[in-house]
Amino acid sequence: MTDDELIDKCLQGDQRAQKALFEKFSRKMMSVCMRYVSDREQAEDVLQDGFVKVFSHLKSFKREGSFEGWIRRTMVNTSLDHLRKKRNMNLDTDISEAEYLAGEDENVVGKMRVEELMKLIQGMPPGYRTVFNMYAIEGFSHQEIANELGVTESTSKTQFRKARTYLMSLIGERENI
Amino acid sequence: MENNQNHIEEMFKEAFANHEMEVSSKVWAGVQSTLATQASATIASGGLLAKAAAFIGISTLVAIGAVNEYRLATKAVAVKANAMEAEQPNVAPNKSIETTIVQAETADFIAVESKETSPVTQVTKNIKVIAPEPTTKDNGGKMAVNSDNQQESSESQDYAIAEEPNVDKPQLPETKPEPAPQLNKKTEEPAKQNAKPSTTAETPKQEEKKHCIARFTHEAKTFISPDGDGTNDCFTTEDAENVERFHISIWTRSGELVFESSDINFQWCGTNHSRGGELLEDRTMCYYQIDAVDSEGMVYTERNAKGSIMVVR
């Protein structure tokens, strides 16, 4: 069944279609939620709320772009709401130590498994993590991130740069022992 | 270095484009029951003034435009109205949806209230019949709630209530019970995800080293966060097989030995054993070295035998 057909059926209230839609995307979306909200239980809460939104607002999906992208965006928004609620997005966190050792052998990263990358992301302070996720992985612009998070564009850029440096330092450490 | 950094971003992006994780079955159950709840809410407030059991109670808690109506009621009705509100979708900590059953028999009264801030709108009304005063007081304010006065609400989002002096006629308010909040922001499509399966996720397979058959894993912990939240609190090994002798040492960057153990079931949670177990500071970078030998006396030389780990508090 194509996404379009699936959407149609869901809009008609077909529960099997809803289940199918959930099955199709939930595992990927769990990965998204886990990147933002690293605690598994909480990530599942977010996932649940996100899917409720997806179904509730399905009719507002324009069908112009990628359906998965739309769902993903919904999950990101739900995650951000969760973080806001927990006031867990403090962008002031700083890790001065991370400045050193940036830029290591790029092949290092290639060898890392996605699970390890996930741990690296989850290990970052929430501010870094959020901006890094949004910019590097979701592809938001700094302008968009600034709007979403209520910070300035330059804060977003700074946070991202620091996050990247921080990641690089961890990755470097890992290899260079 | 610039390239290198871009490479990092690409790398992460690609790795996660199609990454999937296990989802517990609770999640679908929760979604389903929330949707069922919403559907009922829609029906109830949509005017099928029912004798049915309405219910409601969700994890998300903002009541949006519900509508309120009653007539000759004699019942106590409790309603938890709830609607998703994209703007502040409070994520309730408790995903299990408690469903409050509300008996609405003959009478009834439909919900109540649009209140941005109240988490759960709960209205309990004891209605004693009677000629409602023709004038409803205090429209603008919080409508409803334990009053014996009649509230006639008209449009769900309309706080100013139209007076409807005539109560004899039960009147179904026209409602848009579900203002279907738009997703906060326009959902623009993030760049379409690359459809090709990620190849980066593959396990870096290590060569079988000689003949050492000892095995263990420690989940590639790059950091530990010993805060007792159950995730990543400690460094341990798992799935050990054929390990005859084992020894792990952990040092800080400055070379101080903070932990060592010959027990493969050791657990290290960011403490400094050379100093009576005091906690290492936030972001202390440590190095570990594991020496293991299998039953044949072959030395374990896999990549995870040494590495670094950061303590994050």
Side-chain angles (χ1 to χ4, degrees):
Chain A
M1 203 175 333
T2 67
D3 283 352
D4 258 353
E5 292 165 345
L6 209 49
I7 295 168
D8 287 336
K9 291 208 155 120
C10 286
L11 286 172
Q12 291 158 19
D14 182 334
Q15 293 195 353
R16 285 206 324 241
Q18 290 182 338
K19 176 89 187 277
L21 189 153
F22 180 85
E23 294 294 340
K24 181 168 180 181
F25 296 107
S26 61
R27 292 163 54 84
K28 263 188 202 172
M29 296 309 140
M30 184 66 187
S31 169
V32 174
C33 296
M34 285 290 282
R35 277 193 284 111
Y36 285 84
V37 182
S38 46
D39 175 79
R40 183 165 193 98
E41 282 284 309
Q42 292 181 26
E44 288 188 342
D45 284 348
V46 170
L47 183 69
Q48 176 179 318
D49 288 347
F51 268 103
V52 167
K53 277 191 206 170
V54 165
F55 289 120
S56 307
H57 304 301
L58 201 51
K59 53 184 170 298
S60 70
F61 173 58
K62 298 281 191 293
R63 309 204 192 195
E64 284 158 4
S66 145
F67 185 45
E68 179 177 327
W70 182 77
I71 295 177
R72 191 177 278 258
R73 177 64 194 255
T74 302
M75 295 299 159
V76 171
N77 285 344
T78 311
S79 299
L80 295 179
D81 287 333
H82 176 85
L83 295 173
R84 270 184 213 113
K85 185 170 157 251
K86 292 194 67 197
R87 294 187 186 78
N88 202 2
M89 229 165 22
N90 184 2
L91 293 179
D92 300 330
T93 333
D94 207 351
I95 297 183
S96 50
E97 190 186 352
E99 296 293 342
Y100 86 114
L101 243 185
E104 284 300 327
D105 170 16
E106 64 182 71
N107 295 324
V108 168
V109 186
K111 287 186 255 167
M112 295 179 72
R113 302 163 58 209
V114 66
E115 285 77 15
E116 296 176 68
L117 298 180
M118 177 66 93
K119 284 184 189 297
L120 286 178
I121 287 179
Q122 293 178 339
M124 282 196 277
Y128 288 9
R129 184 171 73 215
T130 306
V131 173
F132 185 84
N133 271 327
M134 294 178 79
Y135 186 84
I137 303 178
E138 259 71 53
F140 285 74
S141 69
H142 283 300
Q143 176 69 57
E144 289 170 308
I145 295 171
N147 291 341
E148 289 287 340
L149 304 184
V151 299
T152 64
E153 203 173 326
S154 77
T155 302
S156 175
K157 284 180 183 166
T158 309
Q159 286 289 310
F160 177 70
R161 189 175 46 76
K162 288 179 179 171
R164 191 166 55 183
T165 309
Y166 177 65
L167 280 177
M168 290 301 293
S169 75
L170 286 183
I171 292 166
E173 285 285 349
R174 229 173 138 277
E175 273 318 285
N176 289 320
I177 173 92
Chain B
M1 173 155 139
E2 206 43 51
N3 284 342
N4 190 18
Q5 291 179 339
N6 290 338
H7 171 76
I8 292 271
E9 290 151 36
E10 283 309 307
M11 159 72 214
F12 272 87
K13 186 164 187 160
E14 192 180 330
F16 285 108
N18 291 293
H19 183 234
E20 299 190 337
M21 293 186 75
E22 210 51 51
V23 176
S24 118
S25 58
K26 290 186 299 188
V27 179
W28 170 243
V31 170
Q32 231 181 351
S33 88
T34 307
L35 290 174
T37 297
Q38 286 183 343
S40 317
T42 306
I43 290 170
S45 52
L48 303 191
L49 181 41
K51 28 198 48 205
F55 69 81
I56 303 185
I58 313 185
S59 47
T60 355
L61 327 150
V62 183
I64 289 195
V67 181
N68 188 350
E69 201 232 6
Y70 77 83
R71 73 181 191 189
L72 305 184
T74 51
K75 291 244 138 95
V77 181
V79 174
K80 273 196 202 167
N82 237 327
M84 302 244 347
E85 214 257 19
E87 210 51 60
Q88 42 177 122
N90 304 310
V91 178
N94 176 8
K95 59 187 6 173
S96 64
I97 283 89
E98 312 300 347
T99 317
T100 308
I101 307 279
V102 171
Q103 286 287 37
E105 295 206 334
T106 29
D108 327 336
F109 130 101
I110 298 184
V112 165
E113 146 149 281
S114 283
K115 207 157 154 203
E116 302 267 308
T117 49
S118 81
V120 172
T121 311
Q122 170 144 19
V123 179
T124 312
K125 228 179 172 174
N126 249 333
I127 296 155
K128 22 209 96 167
V129 182
I130 314 334
E133 314 174 353
T135 25
T136 346
K137 59 306 71 231
D138 137 82
N139 296 337
K142 63 265 323 327
M143 46 201 281
V145 201
N146 299 323
S147 84
D148 289 335
N149 301 317
Q150 161 181 18
Q151 303 272 5
E152 306 240 277
S153 63
S154 34
E155 301 289 310
S156 52
Q157 284 158 312
D158 190 354
Y159 287 67
I161 302 159
E163 306 286 271
E164 194 81 24
N166 174 7
V167 241
D168 290 336
K169 265 183 175 324
Q171 161 151 27
L172 287 189
E174 308 240 278
T175 60
K176 313 160 168 165
E178 203 191 350
Q182 302 289 39
L183 283 189
N184 317 4
K185 15 256 156 159
K186 244 182 208 121
T187 20
E188 334 219 24
E189 307 308 329
K192 203 164 179 171
Q193 298 295 343
N194 187 345
K196 92 177 160 54
S198 162
T199 51
T200 52
E202 69 190 8
T203 312
K205 258 284 183 278
Q206 277 126 0
E207 321 287 311
E208 284 293 299
K209 270 301 177 192
K210 300 299 179 196
H211 302 299
C212 180
I213 54 171
R215 286 289 173 274
F216 58 85
T217 64
H218 50 72
E219 289 208 83
K221 291 217 166 91
T222 311
F223 64 93
I224 57 172
S225 57
D227 52 9
D229 68 357
T231 8
N232 223 8
D233 287 334
C234 299
F235 182 53
T236 61
T237 54
E238 291 168 11
D239 306 318
E241 284 176 23
N242 304 314
V243 178
E244 185 70 17
R245 278 183 291 140
F246 179 89
H247 186 85
I248 179 169
S249 304
I250 303 177
W251 299 268
T252 60
R253 174 195 290 284
S254 58
E256 183 175 17
L257 181 68
V258 292
F259 179 81
E260 65 175 331
S261 173
S262 296
D263 181 359
I264 193 162
N265 297 313
F266 78 95
Q267 194 175 55
W268 177 68
C269 311
T271 49
N272 184 343
H273 290 237
S274 301
R275 298 195 191 177
E278 79 178 36
L279 303 177
L280 292 174
E281 284 181 8
D282 187 18
R283 297 169 206 143
T284 304
M285 182 61 81
C286 295
Y287 303 138
Y288 62 87
Q289 165 83 46
I290 294 172
D291 298 308
V293 173
D294 72 9
S295 46
E296 304 297 317
M298 299 303 297
V299 176
Y300 183 87
T301 53
E302 297 293 345
R303 192 173 146 184
N304 66 0
K306 64 178 186 178
S308 63
I309 186 162
M310 183 180 267
V311 177
V312 179
R313 296 195 184 276

